[in-house]
Amino acid sequence: MNFKRNILITGGAGFIGSHVVRRMVTRYPDYRIINFDKLTYAGNLANLQEVEEAPNYCFVKGDICDFEQVVSVMQQYAVDGVIHLAAESHVDRSIKDPFTFARTNVLGTLTLLEAARRTWKATAEGFAGKRFYHISTDEVYGALELQAERAEAPYGEALFEETTRYNPHSPYSASKASSDHFVRAYHDTYGLPTIVTNCSNNYGPYQFPEKLIPLFIHNIRHRKPLPVYGRGENVRDWLYVEDHAAAIDLIFHQGKLAETYNIGGCNEWRNIDLVRLLVKTVDRLLGNPEGTSDHLITFVTDRAGHDLRYAIDASKLQRELGWQPSLQFEEGIERTVRWYLEHEEWLESITSGEYEKYYEEMYANR
Ligand code: NAD
Ligand code: TYD
């Protein structure tokens, strides 16, 4: 079958990647979607059961750091678009093992860029009609101050804009910042058709349960402590993962080359308030009397270099491409909690064995 487009999605077996793959495979039957993923601890093909038989989907197990393999896949499938999500993504792991983050996030991105440049340059049309879309994070901008609470801007008026100076603090955000710089350098130096987006914290189904929301839902259900770092006063801007996938789809098709777009939920929550909302929601959906799990909230040693506040100004994306988040947070959280409670087998399959050992070690010293 001849496909209209051949799109390589890296990291498609991860949390956000699986939503992007599912969306692209179902919405665009005339595109071939090639999911290229190493299947690290965070990659799980069970996330993609709904589309694994689709005629326009295929999976290739591979490492973005393997130049030969990436070039060979790009040639074999005549790839004309890359949506790059593969990464090491957890801040706490980056503090323990920064080298893996530099390897995958920096060298892996550079490898993909160079593979795309060489492969596309060798085609009859060159870079025409090609697109390399790099998915990044708001954490590259560093941290915002927390200001006195006010009704219009409860945690402060400053927001991350596309022009905000990069100022990463964790090995994770430093590695993502570096990868963003390489992407822009490939545009400016070689003319590679690139786009970068920087998104705020995502939540929703299929997120690996080392991140705050799925971890805490799992722990509440199993009556385990909820380790809140510091005093729980850090603020994050939460976006439902399907809204991020919709933004990626839109920007891949209509975003202007060489541009950066911020994506965010306009939805800031202090960690402790979010944890209380989670506890209340899980208790209600499990049929527990209100307050049953409050005692699980446990304040633990703060994360090193813990960024105080992230908040995104997504007005450029709204103004230029008409995107906005579709879900209210309370509705998104309700949907998310229900999903995890109804997919106990998914959580159990990845919370046993190796991961359980890692998790216990991680918290043994807190
Ligand atoms: P994730 O950790 O859930 O998934 C990462 C995926 O990449 C996994 O499937 C893993 O197997 C794969 N991978 C890792 N190393 C690889 C390699 N060397 N070669 C091939 N595949 C490899 O991550 P996520 O939360 O879905 O994040 C996806 C992207 O979005 C990342 O680039 C991340 O920086 C960015 N991002 C995430 C968030 C968030 O809140 N999760 C917010 C903004 C941006
Ligand atoms: P996380 O989901 O790891 O995302 P990120 O660090 O990329 O923002 O964490 C979200 C917030 O929750 C962050 O401020 C750290 C905090 N947190 C805890 O308090 N306890 C935990 O066990 C985890 C995983 C996170």
Side-chain angles (χ1 to χ4, degrees), residues 122-280:
T123 59
E125 337 66 68
F127 292 162
K130 312 291 199 303
R131 186 159 277 222
F132 188 108
Y133 177 4
H134 174 64
I135 310 298
S136 192
T137 166
D138 61 354
E139 304 192 23
V140 298
Y141 297 124
L144 296 164
E145 300 280 313
L146 262 184
Q147 289 164 351
E149 294 202 13
R150 256 177 290 152
E152 333 70 72
Y155 306 109
E157 275 158 18
L159 300 173
F160 293 137
E161 295 170 17
E162 285 82 359
T163 50
T164 300
R165 186 171 75 90
Y166 272 34
N167 187 21
H169 298 299
S170 73
Y172 165 63
S173 52
S175 68
K176 290 297 289 187
S178 173
S179 66
D180 296 7
H181 291 321
F182 269 108
V183 175
R184 295 193 182 103
Y186 261 67
H187 172 269
D188 296 350
T189 308
Y190 307 108
L192 196 77
T194 60
I195 295 191
V196 177
T197 56
N198 297 86
C199 186
S200 63
N201 285 61
N202 285 215
Y203 71 100
Y206 298 110
Q207 185 168 32
F208 195 83
E210 63 187 352
K211 305 277 170 70
L212 180 77
I213 291 179
L215 173 68
F216 279 30
I217 296 171
H218 178 72
N219 284 9
I220 298 166
R221 176 167 209 159
H222 293 277
R223 311 215 172 291
K224 290 184 176 174
L226 309 175
V228 176
Y229 300 163
R231 302 302 306 161
E233 63 191 3
N234 306 66
V235 171
R236 296 291 181 264
D237 175 359
W238 293 95
L239 177 68
Y240 194 63
V241 62
E242 285 179 11
D243 280 333
H244 189 189
I248 290 173
D249 178 358
L250 180 68
I251 293 164
F252 179 75
H253 287 97
Q254 291 178 36
K256 260 174 65 188
L257 291 179
E259 289 286 327
T260 297
Y261 298 90
N262 278 351
I263 309 173
C266 205
N267 174 44
E268 291 177 62
W269 280 73
R270 268 196 325 174
N271 287 347
I272 188 64
D273 299 332
L274 167 54
V275 169
R276 292 205 177 103
L277 174 67
L278 279 176
V279 168
K280 212 168 144 186

